Amino acid sequence: MTNAELQQLVEKISTQSFHKPFLHKAYFNPRLRTTGGRYMLRSHDIDINRKYLDEHGMEELIGIIKHELCHYHLHIEGKGYKHGDQDFKRLLQKVGGPRHCASLPSEKQRKRVVLYSCSKCGWKFERKRKINTSKYVCGRCSGKLRLEKEMVFEKR
């Protein structure tokens, strides 16, 4: 599917499901990694992640387009366009759009554990992210922290 075909599909879904025209641009954005699509507030354009079409098919793509069109139409009308707004939730349910898109099988989900210890009292603790050991000290004795090891686990 090309960007021109995507544009036509978005315009078609907008008129069929929302009974309103889509007057801006829709295109595939190869830089999107963690989301299926994105509505741009300033330009009113919609970016779509092509991987969702490739890995989940047309049905998932249509759901993502409906979700982004909910943001689009509500923002243009000056109504609540954010995920937590009641206007958004009602419109999303009315048109049958998904609240969240499915995860991509190609993006392996990983769990990261970073293990630290105190050089003074020996206390060990875990973090999800690395911390600056020259900036932080032990919470128990104010001793110097050192990185023990960093582990990454595959979640599947």
Side-chain angles (χ1 to χ4, degrees), residues 10 19 45 53 93:
V10 171
H19 309 290
D45 294 343
L53 173 62
Q93 189 173 19

Side-chain angles (χ1 to χ4, degrees), residues 81-111:
Y81 62 89
K82 296 178 182 175
H83 287 118
D85 295 331
Q86 288 303 313
D87 292 331
F88 179 78
K89 290 178 182 178
R90 271 189 242 115
L91 183 59
L92 195 62
Q93 189 173 19
K94 181 181 171 186
V95 298
R99 187 97 163 88
H100 304 285
C101 54
S103 60
L104 284 171
S106 65
E107 292 289 321
K108 292 181 181 176
Q109 300 202 352
R110 297 180 177 123
K111 182 181 176 186

